Amino acid sequence: MSAKLNIFITGATGYIGGSVVSCLLKHPQAASFEITALVRSAEKAEKLHTLGIKTVLGSYTDKDLGFLTKASANADVVFAIADSDVLPAAHAILGGLKIRHEKTGKAPILIHTSGLAIIMDDARGLHGDHKVYSDLESEALNAIAESVLHRDVDISIVAADKAGYVKAYLITPGTVFGYPSGPLVDLNIQNKHSIQLPYIIKPSIARKQGAYIGKGLNTWSAVDVNDTADLFIIIFDAAISNSPAAGHGTEGYYFAENFEYTGLEAAKTISEKLFELGLASSPEPNAFTQDELDKNFGSFWTLLSTNSRAKGDRGRALGWAPKFGKEEFLANVKEEVAFYANELKA
């Protein structure tokens, strides 16, 4: 690689992506990095420039994705942390990395964000009885059907690794919670809130009572946003040092998780906070009615009531040690209830 390590990152001002950028800026080797970030607005671009970050304007939803190919063709490392389900964007990035490989003779690195929905079932909140998958179970994971959420993109990326023109690592978080910090938060350009939790919190506020789906027995693995960013950096460090310990491609799934929670536990915590705020008549949750599910979520409600249980053994073998557990998660749920209650009131 050149004296400067060229890094291209998508989703750079997002919840996880912004946290990864902050980690890269304080990395011991940061002086040797040349970071380029994909952003949607010129205003965000200007603020990133103050941190020494170059920018490309655009998004995964643009009709012409040539800018993704061009930026990836100039990168030694790509962090793909924007929408994990846009196959044309993934193909554009892989096309650029193939050009990079042909030009340099070296396989560039792709660290892609997938998600634990790849192992979810159809529990509909009625049970928590589901296989706990380890990310070391490569054969089982690579056999998951292409029709499963995230898998069409994952399969294309693993195939590129198999073809030899990229080294691909797929970081696969469960429910991500917590509050990020760092220069992008200070500049007010990073999303600071969980993507998944508001799906349940906002309608619970509207109905003035915490709610679960079915019996609330569905179980998900969860991980703090800062712990997730740490996993990205551990894999990045292993990849750029060519560590043989870091599997990639078919051996490249890295689950990000540190504990499990149920839909019922989340609903009870939401109800307790609503009661504390004087917005609910009881601290006890109850079930969403079918009418509420249809109104608030459409057919998406079945995805919110799945089991998705995982063990992140591969990252831990590289030294990843997540710090934040269920106590911090439940406290964060309460903080998010207060935040969205205030936002919705305004």
Side-chain angles (χ1 to χ4, degrees), residues 223-297:
V223 65
D224 174 76
V225 65
N226 300 292
D227 284 335
T228 303
D230 286 346
L231 179 58
F232 273 87
I233 299 302
I234 284 171
I235 293 169
F236 167 74
D237 287 342
I240 63 174
S241 67
N242 292 311
S243 169
H248 58 89
T250 56
E251 305 289 325
Y253 271 112
Y254 291 82
F255 290 168
E257 57 72 36
N258 197 31
F259 62 92
E260 295 182 332
Y261 73 98
T262 66
L264 183 60
E265 287 176 311
K268 184 171 177 59
T269 303
I270 292 166
S271 254
E272 288 171 352
K273 187 61 181 180
L274 288 173
F275 183 72
E276 180 187 316
L277 293 171
L279 299 176
S281 58
S282 168
E284 294 301 320
N286 62 9
F288 283 116
T289 66
Q290 189 60 53
D291 284 346
E292 286 177 316
L293 292 176
D294 294 338
K295 175 186 173 184
N296 288 304
F297 313 116

Side-chain angles (χ1 to χ4, degrees), residues 3 120 184 231 236 280 333:
M120 68 184 177
L184 278 74
L231 179 58
F236 167 74
V333 170

